[in-house]
Amino acid sequence: MKLKQAHTPLIHALQQHIKRQPLSFHVPGHKNGVLTKEWLPADFRNFLPYDVTEITGLDDLHSPEGCILEAQKLLTDLYNTRKSYFLVNGSTVGNLAMVMSVCEEGDIVFVQRNSHKSIFHALKLAKLKPVFLDTAYDSRIQAAGQVSLDTIREAYSRFPSAKAVIFTYPTYYGMIGELEEMIRLAKQHGSFVLVDEAHGPHFTLRSPFPKSSLRLGADIVVHSAHKMLPAMTMGSYLHVQSEKVPIAKLEFYLQALQSSSPSYPIMASLDAARAYLASITEEDQSFMLQMREKLSLQFHKKGIGVVFSDDPLKLLLRKPGYSGYELQKRLEEAEIYTEMADQAQVLCTLPLVKQGETGFFSDVEKKLSQFIIEEREESFLPTVPVPSQKKVSPLALSYGEQKNYQIEWIPVRKAAGRIAAETIIPYPPGIPLMIAGERIFTEQAAAMEKLLTEGVHIQGGQQLQEKKLAVFAEESGNHE
């Protein structure tokens, strides 16, 4: 029987609790906001009664039996999964839990190189043997794209016993690639398919939105409801699709890694976000696309080019003569704040609006009407993709072995042939150029020198400003 998706059981339970004007002899210490009347603005103070704890009638996230259980059943029903969960510590905890629940120490896992850092943390915590899969450079988006089917085939030809494959779908830029074929190949080899779908919780919607990896056969999927749906920051979902996933082990890690004092406002917002997504109609989707086209025309009038991603809610802004960083700064001066910028462009994340909700787009139109940006001649070339050493690359030193080696800093120009002791990520294209434990190839060292000369933004590298790179010492010893 289809459940009533308009119902929000957790929000209803909180409203009924607040309505009774209860006295609080329990945590949190603000006591339903009564201690803050002289100290906080009224709008913030009015929010505090929703910030409660696990008292009678409000259930327990870690052992749900009431309103939270009902809310999670509605989530399971909407996404048509075996079981779905609320996460209050972001998609980070979902990524950690899904990897640790199906993998054992020493297991070989395939991981695409442009994964979120929480995936890399999960690999290390679980003491796995990662094999990194290079991603194709997307020249239209001018950033890292997706893993190719040929790369997956090569990986299985070398490591046929891989326990799991970890995909990021879509990418930060909203690109999807050939995921369905790759999932099919992984299943043929008996691997678990784990998907960080942080930016795709709305992929339950029909075309032109891409299909969710849940529909494509993934075993476990993590969604950031706070990224693309109207949930509070840190609010995420985890979905189990496969009967092979050990639920007891997964739930142990969800309990061990999440707060024992989960935020009720975050959980309530997850309940609301689920109901909101369920309410989106085809007419709403058509309206959203119309608003996107109208917005694009407004940017074009200012001489700003617009590039659409595979995800209709992601768009890229480019202005001739301006780097993405410069364009972002100019937009912020007009009180327009974007998701991120890279050397070539600015990435915008659009809201998932319903028919008739024009407020957001009207506000943008007002801001843009007063926005002035000077014309310039082209003054820079987009960053050339960094050459990767191999499509498929395991670590030269395992996580366990790395602890036995000291770290030293050497000039980047002398790094070829050494083993990296830190992960270096040029941004863009967002693909790790070097991952701690990998042997550095000549092409990587040369590319690093070029990027430093160009002043490209780089994540990682404690002494890169001095053009020095951390590597493991040749002789083993105590780790510094």
Side-chain angles (χ1 to χ4, degrees):
M1 182 179 70
K2 199 71 175 175
L3 301 179
K4 294 181 179 179
Q5 287 293 334
H7 184 39
T8 51
L10 180 53
I11 291 177
H12 177 73
L14 286 167
Q15 289 174 326
Q16 292 301 110
H17 177 72
I18 294 169
K19 188 177 180 179
R20 293 191 290 269
Q21 297 183 327
L23 289 176
S24 170
F25 279 88
H26 55 77
V27 298
H30 57 68
K31 306 298 179 183
N32 298 328
V34 299
L35 298 188
T36 59
K37 289 182 179 179
E38 305 299 325
W39 301 93
L40 293 175
D43 55 353
F44 185 82
R45 190 172 66 246
N46 292 338
F47 170 78
L48 289 178
Y50 285 90
D51 182 35
V52 290
T53 190
E54 299 95 333
I55 56 177
T56 302
L58 295 183
D59 211 355
D60 179 356
L61 176 65
H62 297 303
S63 184
E65 298 176 344
C67 56
I68 295 175
L69 176 62
E70 188 179 351
Q72 291 189 149
K73 284 183 176 179
L74 285 163
L75 182 67
T76 299
D77 180 68
L78 175 63
Y79 282 94
N80 193 27
T81 62
R82 176 186 172 194
K83 196 169 185 180
S84 294
Y85 302 83
F86 286 174
L87 304 177
V88 294
N89 289 76
S91 289
T92 289
V93 75
N95 287 338
L96 293 173
M98 76 172 176
V99 172
M100 298 176 79
S101 68
V102 301
C103 296
E104 302 288 345
E105 182 176 346
D107 281 343
I108 296 173
V109 295
F110 297 154
V111 188
Q112 68 182 70
R113 290 185 71 91
N114 58 339
S115 293
H116 188 264
K117 61 184 179 181
S118 58
I119 295 293
F120 292 91
H121 294 161
L123 300 174
K124 190 169 185 177
L125 287 171
K127 300 179 181 179
L128 304 180
K129 293 181 179 179
V131 175
F132 297 107
L133 309 179
D134 198 11
T135 52
Y137 181 78
D138 191 315
S139 58
R140 187 174 73 86
I141 299 298
Q142 296 185 18
Q146 286 286 7
V147 175
S148 73
L149 190 56
D150 286 342
T151 298
I152 291 287
R153 289 195 182 107
E154 180 182 333
Y156 274 114
S157 70
R158 294 176 55 189
F159 305 95
S161 62
K163 182 70 170 291
V165 186
I166 306 172
F167 294 112
T168 299
Y169 170 94
T171 66
Y172 202 166
Y173 291 81
M175 306 307 290
I176 60 173
E178 307 170 281
L179 185 63
E180 187 169 10
E181 292 83 358
M182 292 189 289
I183 289 178
R184 189 179 298 115
L185 181 63
K187 291 300 184 71
Q188 289 171 358
H189 284 82
S191 302
F192 282 102
V193 177
L194 313 179
V195 182
D196 177 0
E197 197 172 286
H199 289 262
H202 55 302
F203 285 3
T204 57
L205 301 175
R206 296 188 179 184
S207 180
F209 290 92
K211 292 180 181 179
S212 172
S213 59
L214 288 166
R215 290 180 59 192
L216 301 180
D219 295 304
I220 308 179
V221 174
V222 175
H223 282 147
S224 284
H226 68 94
K227 285 184 168 66
M228 308 303 295
L229 301 180
M232 289 178 62
T233 297
M234 292 176 68
S236 295
Y237 303 134
L238 183 144
H239 310 279
V240 177
Q241 189 70 290
S242 170
E243 294 293 333
K244 297 192 304 177
V245 174
I247 290 291
K249 188 176 179 183
L250 173 67
E251 290 182 349
F252 165 77
Y253 281 113
L254 287 177
Q255 186 172 151
L257 296 171
Q258 292 199 98
S259 172
S260 59
S261 301
S263 164
Y264 272 81
I266 291 177
M267 289 190 289
S269 75
L270 288 171
D271 196 18
R274 182 268 314 152
Y276 183 83
L277 177 61
S279 75
I280 299 295
T281 64
E282 291 188 23
E283 290 76 19
D284 293 330
Q285 290 182 222
S286 296
F287 175 77
M288 170 66 223
L289 295 175
Q290 292 171 13
M291 290 295 97
R292 186 185 70 159
E293 293 298 327
K294 183 178 179 182
L295 179 63
S296 299
L297 289 174
Q298 293 167 0
F299 279 117
H300 279 298
K301 289 179 181 178
K302 297 296 181 178
I304 298 174
V306 176
V307 177
F308 295 129
S309 178
D310 291 338
D311 178 1
L313 296 187
K314 296 285 182 77
L315 57 82
L316 298 164
L317 306 180
R318 297 172 185 163
K319 176 70 176 177
Y322 289 79
S323 71
Y325 305 115
E326 292 176 305
L327 178 57
Q328 183 184 53
K329 183 178 179 181
R330 296 299 302 274
L331 288 168
E332 288 178 354
E333 290 171 355
E335 301 299 331
I336 299 174
Y337 289 83
T338 58
E339 175 66 20
M340 60 155 286
D342 62 34
Q343 182 69 11
Q345 60 214 339
V346 169
L347 174 64
C348 295
T349 301
L350 301 181
L352 183 63
V353 297
K354 293 179 68 65
Q355 192 170 19
E357 294 179 350
T358 60
F360 173 84
F361 296 97
S362 296
D363 290 342
V364 176
E365 185 175 6
K366 290 177 184 176
K367 297 287 187 183
L368 285 177
S369 66
Q370 302 171 5
F371 179 67
I372 299 175
I373 187 166
E374 303 79 10
E375 298 298 320
R376 292 181 184 172
E377 293 184 4
E378 191 71 49
S379 58
F380 72 97
L381 295 174
T383 303
V384 177
V386 176
S388 177
Q389 71 280 22
K390 287 182 179 179
K391 287 185 177 180
V392 178
S393 54
L395 293 177
L397 280 180
S398 70
Y399 296 121
E401 291 171 331
Q402 290 176 31
K403 294 187 294 185
N404 298 322
Y405 284 73
Q406 292 186 334
I407 294 174
E408 60 184 9
W409 277 263
I410 63 172
V412 172
R413 67 180 184 278
K414 295 182 179 180
R418 302 296 298 274
I419 297 176
E422 55 186 347
T423 298
I424 306 296
I425 307 174
Y427 212 86
I431 305 171
L433 174 60
M434 302 172 191
I435 296 173
E438 287 189 316
R439 192 170 296 281
I440 302 167
F441 284 66
T442 302
E443 294 84 357
Q444 288 175 291
M448 175 59 70
E449 284 197 278
K450 184 174 185 296
L451 293 173
L452 290 172
T453 301
E454 293 175 349
V456 171
H457 177 64
I458 294 175
Q459 298 176 346
Q462 298 181 37
Q463 296 189 21
L464 280 181
Q465 289 184 344
E466 288 78 35
K467 294 189 176 183
K468 289 186 177 181
L469 184 69
V471 298
F472 289 110
E474 298 291 348
E475 300 296 329
S476 63
N478 293 325
H479 187 277
E480 287 186 348

